[in-house]
Amino acid sequence: LPALRKRTPETLRLSGTPASPGLARGALVIVGDLDPVGAEAVAGGDPAAALRAALEQAARQLTQLAAGVREDQTAAAAILELQTALLEDPVMTDPAFEAIAAGASPEKAWLTAAELQIRDYREAADPYFRARTADLIDLRDRVLRCLRGTAAAVLPGDAILIARDLPPSRFLEISWCGGGIALHEGSPQSHLSMLARARGVPMLVGVPSADLAAHREALLDADRGDLVASPDPVVAREFASRQSAALVSEAAERSFRSRPAQLPSGERVLVQINVNDVGELPGLDAGHCDGVGLVRTELLLRRMADLTDEELQFEAYRRVMTWAEGKPVTIRTLDAGADKPIAGYTVAGESNPFLGVRGLRLSLRKPEILTVQLRALARAAALGPLKVMAPMVTLPGELERFRRLMAEAVRSLQASGVDCRTPSVGMMVEVPAAAVAIDLFETDFVSIGSNDLVQYLTACSRDSAELAALQDPLQPGVMRLIRAVIEHARIRGIEVSVCGDMASDPRYVPALLEVGLRCFSVGPAALGRVKKAICAAEAAED
Amino acid sequence: MTPGTTAPRASARALLFHAGGLHARPAIKLTKLAKRFESRVRLAAAAQGPWVDAKSVARVMGMKTPSGSTLFFEAEGRDAEEAVAALAHLVEGDFAGAEEADA
């Protein structure tokens, strides 16, 4: 009997950096790199015709892949489009045919021609162009496989794929159904990572190389950052129960994610998203939300040089506007300072930075910097319904000055014939004094920043775990003030939303609905669960 | 062109402000548009060159032109005037909202 028992290798645990969250379990499949100088194709026939056929076959494969790309996967579409265009470009292919005419084999000829292009990108200073190297290598290998008549093995969509790196086009060939990826190289910012997140495929990058050949099964925990090969039964059981719990809640959330949130009474509740990074937009579907409720520009503009670069800012805002497809977009001017310093701009060494010169207070002290941002915003306002919001407003006079600077920016743009519009101007409500006296502010809309409002109202530092119990946002002191702000906005007929973490947490949704909130702005990952909570809360009320 | 006749020539320039520069998507759009004209069309990122074939995506993207550069177009052929005007218009219109995700 012992002779029949297959020896299972000992459990091997490796850590990596999560690039796309989630849990996956499956057969462990090692994906080797294609050897570009591997066996030559069987000689014979017309070498030029063989290359022509391989190029045509590769182009057909790319067209097929492109047809399967979803509309929101613009990154994937761009890669495939580039590869297709290169195949049709004589500058790319002619050197190969010339080499064949001079006696080279089709493989050798293609490798040389491809290398001419690849070499040029490998050394590029600009990271965007350097990253195209991978797309060109991917194209080179696709044509090589066509020449050799070896289709790349179709990789299973239910396995844990281990690879050095994986080209996006191979990712797109896989019919994903529960599998995951662990890469020895790669980065969370790569195109592949974006595709994995958009497709919901768990992925780790930077996993150390190890001899995995003897292992047959693996668990991939891309929430915590673990790859476990040949897990023991206890670990496997624990993993399976986490996985099924996650599946249940994911499935429920996903079914809500794409639908508008609506109370049974038929009343619509708006759910917008908060944007911290313009780069994540292509992976998100604008159709799943009611616009953008908060763009945190201090997270887009991290360097002093960005603050004076109107074109760079306009481009970032333009991208948000384009993505939103005509839905409303609220962009907040810089809320730098406190836990979000910008070297050379924010004040260093304050004894209590959360109560210091930050947000609008700092902007009004540096009007030349604020004006750059307001100019870029006024230009973006010409592209669609844009609302501009000032952070950390304390007194009505501050908002007035902000408004005047906006008007001046618009006038100066108009004077030089630049396309622009005056956006609506509103304020964050997070300073208690402003919340209590909200009726004195000349504002087009308000957005409640629950994180700071709770910290200031309860006199509890946000980072104090010790005082967590005192910071419960549901306590009467907080909820009464939120109710008062919402009621005031309703009477005035101006829009009111909550854009802090409180809005993204389903536990607080019923209470916020109860005080009259009908517009939530949440982290993109929370869309499904907040919408689900909105429907469930109303049902519980009945 | 038949030998002996002088083909019409035209030139134009346009400021490239596409974020990141002449990336894959805008390069593809530019070459596709250039191919619609029968004229020979050349492109450079400086008035004195070097010039590349505006119909080759490998060449156009290979220029690795950063945002903020001025692009120079030169065309030679029956529809030279239309070609450079259309290409400059494409660049100035920021590639008609060239898609985002190639950044």
Side-chain angles (χ1 to χ4, degrees):
Chain A
L1 193 71
L4 289 175
R5 194 178 288 148
K6 210 157 205 165
R7 184 182 276 271
T8 313
E10 251 177 66
T11 300
L12 179 65
R13 198 179 272 270
L14 299 166
S15 327
T17 308
S20 171
L23 307 172
R25 174 185 189 168
L28 190 152
V29 172
I30 298 170
V31 185
D33 289 329
L34 181 79
D35 182 3
V37 283
E40 291 264 320
V42 189
D46 174 3
L51 178 58
R52 209 168 294 120
L55 292 171
E56 279 164 15
Q57 190 189 352
R60 273 196 306 276
Q61 291 175 355
L62 290 171
T63 309
Q64 240 167 43
L65 278 176
V69 168
R70 291 206 319 262
E71 240 172 66
D72 56 330
Q73 296 179 324
T74 47
I79 295 165
L80 298 174
E81 210 181 316
L82 172 66
Q83 293 179 334
T84 307
L86 285 169
L87 282 181
E88 292 166 357
D89 189 345
V91 168
M92 174 98 198
T93 54
D94 277 359
F97 288 107
E98 282 158 21
I100 288 175
S105 71
E107 286 213 9
K108 193 65 145 218
W110 171 248
L111 274 173
T112 314
E115 185 54 32
L116 281 177
Q117 297 298 323
I118 294 166
R119 194 177 54 194
D120 196 34
Y121 288 92
R122 226 177 240 136
E123 305 298 323
D126 180 326
Y128 171 84
F129 289 110
R130 213 164 45 238
R132 304 283 68 73
T133 314
D135 299 337
L136 285 163
I137 291 176
D138 181 27
L139 178 65
R140 176 195 73 190
D141 292 353
R142 178 174 298 282
V143 174
L144 269 187
R145 286 193 298 266
C146 292
L147 271 173
R148 289 176 188 171
T150 51
V154 175
L155 297 169
D158 58 354
I160 307 300
L161 306 180
I162 316 282
R164 186 186 54 79
D165 201 353
L166 197 66
S169 74
R170 285 208 82 183
F171 175 92
L172 293 167
E173 282 168 345
I174 300 168
S175 312
W176 287 103
C177 52
I181 304 172
L183 300 180
H184 302 310
E185 295 177 7
S187 113
Q189 280 83 45
S190 70
H191 271 150
L192 180 67
S193 299
M194 265 175 56
L195 294 177
R197 287 193 291 271
R199 187 75 185 73
V201 175
M203 177 165 115
L204 292 181
V205 297
V207 177
S209 297
D211 184 13
L212 292 165
H215 297 270
R216 312 192 135 217
E217 207 212 344
L219 309 177
L220 183 76
D221 183 339
D223 291 335
R224 293 178 187 166
D226 288 327
L227 173 71
V228 186
S230 305
D232 66 56
V234 180
V235 172
R237 253 200 313 280
E238 191 255 353
F239 189 86
S241 74
R242 276 181 58 208
Q243 207 177 7
S244 60
L247 277 178
V248 169
S249 66
E250 257 170 45
E253 284 165 15
R254 201 172 318 122
S255 69
F256 283 96
R257 190 178 170 88
S258 56
R259 297 204 303 249
Q262 200 162 25
L263 302 175
S265 62
E267 189 181 0
R268 275 274 275 121
V269 175
L270 301 182
V271 185
Q272 305 181 317
I273 61 163
N274 298 340
V275 172
N276 300 336
D277 175 6
V278 177
E280 70 187 4
L281 288 177
L284 300 170
D285 187 341
H288 291 179
C289 68
D290 300 298
V292 176
L294 171 66
V295 178
R296 296 185 168 101
T297 58
E298 66 280 2
L299 299 180
L300 306 182
L301 317 169
R302 291 164 191 260
R303 298 168 311 143
M304 185 60 202
D306 299 342
L307 304 188
T308 52
D309 191 337
E310 182 182 320
E311 287 309 317
L312 176 139
Q313 294 192 31
F314 172 67
E315 182 54 28
Y317 308 150
R318 188 186 71 79
R319 287 176 66 176
V320 183
M321 300 300 290
T322 309
W323 175 85
E325 295 167 351
K327 292 181 177 176
V329 171
T330 305
I331 298 182
R332 183 175 73 186
T333 57
L334 281 183
D335 187 18
D339 54 343
K340 294 173 289 194
I342 297 176
Y345 174 67
T346 47
V347 183
E350 287 183 298
S351 64
N352 198 342
F354 272 99
L355 304 179
V357 184
R358 55 172 290 206
L360 180 64
R361 303 160 177 186
L362 184 54
S363 292
L364 290 178
R365 276 168 179 76
K366 310 208 175 192
E368 68 288 355
I369 300 280
L370 177 59
T371 295
V372 173
Q373 186 165 34
L374 296 180
R375 282 173 61 95
L377 287 166
R379 288 170 58 192
L383 307 172
L386 175 68
K387 306 196 269 182
V388 172
M389 171 159 83
M392 286 295 289
V393 181
T394 312
L395 293 173
E398 290 178 303
L399 195 61
E400 268 166 44
R401 279 188 64 198
F402 183 80
R403 215 182 254 287
R404 267 205 307 277
L405 287 169
M406 176 59 94
E408 277 165 28
V410 170
R411 264 198 306 278
S412 108
L413 284 167
Q414 283 168 340
S416 33
V418 180
D419 228 7
C420 68
R421 260 187 46 197
T422 308
S424 29
V425 171
M427 62 187 276
M428 291 282 289
V429 175
E430 52 201 331
V431 177
V436 171
I438 190 65
D439 54 306
L440 303 179
F441 287 82
E442 198 52 57
T443 183
D444 298 334
F445 65 94
V446 295
S447 186
I448 299 170
S450 56
N451 303 358
D452 276 330
L453 183 65
V454 171
Q455 124 166 307
Y456 297 140
L457 207 51
T458 61
C460 289
S461 174
R462 249 155 83 167
D463 48 18
S464 167
E466 182 95 0
L467 302 176
L470 298 182
Q471 301 187 59
D472 178 10
L474 296 182
Q475 64 186 288
V478 174
M479 289 312 295
R480 282 185 198 169
L481 191 55
I482 291 179
R483 181 196 291 272
V485 172
I486 291 171
E487 275 175 5
H488 170 75
R490 185 166 280 188
I491 292 163
R492 270 260 289 277
I494 61 176
E495 287 166 41
V496 55
S497 65
V498 173
C499 63
D501 289 341
M502 190 181 178
S504 295
D505 191 330
R507 287 176 301 167
Y508 304 135
V509 165
L512 288 171
L513 287 169
E514 210 272 319
V515 295
L517 187 72
R518 294 295 181 267
C519 181
F520 293 69
S521 191
V522 308
L527 266 178
R529 50 180 181 268
V530 168
K531 287 182 175 180
K532 177 166 173 261
I534 288 170
C535 299
E538 181 70 9
E541 227 171 73
D542 290 342
Chain B
M1 285 301 117
T2 44
T5 60
T6 316
R9 286 161 176 273
S11 62
R13 58 169 74 182
L15 178 67
L16 173 74
F17 60 90
H18 191 73
L22 203 45
H23 281 183
R25 269 283 164 86
I28 292 167
K29 287 197 174 185
L30 193 152
T31 49
K32 277 192 176 155
L33 180 61
K35 281 191 210 164
R36 296 227 293 260
F37 298 95
E38 76 179 38
S39 296
R40 200 167 67 94
V41 191
R42 301 191 306 163
L43 168 66
Q48 69 280 10
W51 296 89
V52 305
D53 179 359
K55 297 181 182 181
S56 161
V57 70
R59 290 262 190 266
V60 171
M61 198 173 80
M63 291 166 66
K64 307 187 200 69
T65 313
S67 189
S69 311
T70 300
L71 293 181
F72 296 83
F73 295 99
E74 272 190 7
E76 187 180 343
R78 200 181 46 78
D79 51 8
E81 198 67 54
E82 293 97 307
V84 296
L87 288 165
H89 183 74
L90 178 77
V91 175
E92 263 154 13
D94 196 16
F95 302 86
E99 282 73 359
E100 309 305 314
D102 61 349

